[in-house]
Amino acid sequence: MDRTEKREFIAQLSAVFADTSFVLVAQNKGLTVADVSELRRRMRAAGATYKVAKNRLAMLALDGTRFQTVSPLLKGPTALAWSTDPVAVAKTAVEFARGNDKFVILGGALGTQALNPDGIKALSELPSLETLRAQLLGLIQTPATRIAGVLQAPGSQLARVFSAFAKKDAEGEAEAA
């Protein structure tokens, strides 16, 4: 990389850090190309980005952002992952780390809050953003269906009463004839 490419890379990474809510730092020492490709595919499917960056350039990009707390983690062969949905990144990284001992989660940051590997694991155990949205929608819709059921109940009860009277009248007329 020449100087202009480095400046562009730092500017792009700084813009990413300004827009995202979560950054994960992992050690990728000894991963094969196939392993990294698989991890990138999983991250992309989760709506996240996984990038191996030179530590010096990443530190320059982190400077002045709310994610400065991850700078001390950038030692050795490291990679960054980020997304607007922090749970998706954490879940994907933790699942991949379970199956591959060469991928080690070093920590991360959720906004200004620094997270250690245990914090990342705890974050991965939370329900995803889509799951939370579905649960919220279910909670909102539940009272509406209950109200509809309550409003329909008197009408259906009246219909059953009228039906019973009609049957009784029909039986009475049949006996009289």
Side-chain angles (χ1 to χ4, degrees):
M1 273 189 179
D2 64 357
R3 285 184 184 218
T4 56
E5 289 175 329
K6 288 178 182 179
R7 284 190 195 116
E8 288 174 12
F9 181 78
I10 292 169
Q12 288 174 348
L13 210 51
S14 293
V16 164
F17 293 145
D19 291 340
T20 191
S21 62
F22 177 73
V23 174
L24 178 127
V25 179
Q27 190 176 47
N28 59 350
K29 188 176 184 179
L31 286 178
T32 65
V33 173
D35 290 338
V36 172
S37 297
E38 175 64 17
L39 178 58
R40 280 196 173 114
R41 186 189 61 73
R42 288 185 189 183
M43 287 285 185
R44 228 176 292 121
T49 304
Y50 174 82
K51 191 156 196 82
V52 176
K54 290 188 176 187
N55 292 337
R56 175 100 175 102
L57 297 179
M59 281 189 221
L60 289 172
L62 285 168
D63 192 36
T65 67
R66 60 183 173 211
F67 300 112
Q68 284 180 310
T69 55
V70 300
S71 290
L73 301 175
L74 298 173
K75 289 181 172 69
T78 57
L80 302 169
W82 62 84
S83 174
T84 53
D85 181 9
V87 176
V89 177
K91 276 184 193 273
T92 305
V94 168
E95 285 175 12
F96 188 80
R98 281 189 194 128
N100 195 327
D101 60 341
K102 293 179 182 176
F103 181 76
V104 179
I105 297 170
L106 299 175
L110 182 59
T112 57
Q113 179 67 41
L115 298 172
N116 61 13
D118 293 331
I120 302 289
K121 186 176 180 194
L123 186 62
S124 74
E125 293 169 356
L126 293 174
S128 69
L129 189 59
E130 285 108 24
T131 304
L132 289 174
R133 285 180 180 156
Q135 289 174 349
L136 181 62
L137 187 61
L139 287 173
I140 291 170
Q141 287 180 339
T142 299
T145 55
R146 286 186 183 161
I147 289 171
V150 167
L151 292 176
Q152 288 177 353
S156 63
Q157 287 174 351
L158 283 174
R160 283 189 287 251
V161 169
F162 291 143
S163 175
F165 277 124
K167 284 182 184 176
K168 188 175 181 182
D169 286 342
E171 289 174 3
E173 289 177 11
E175 287 179 6

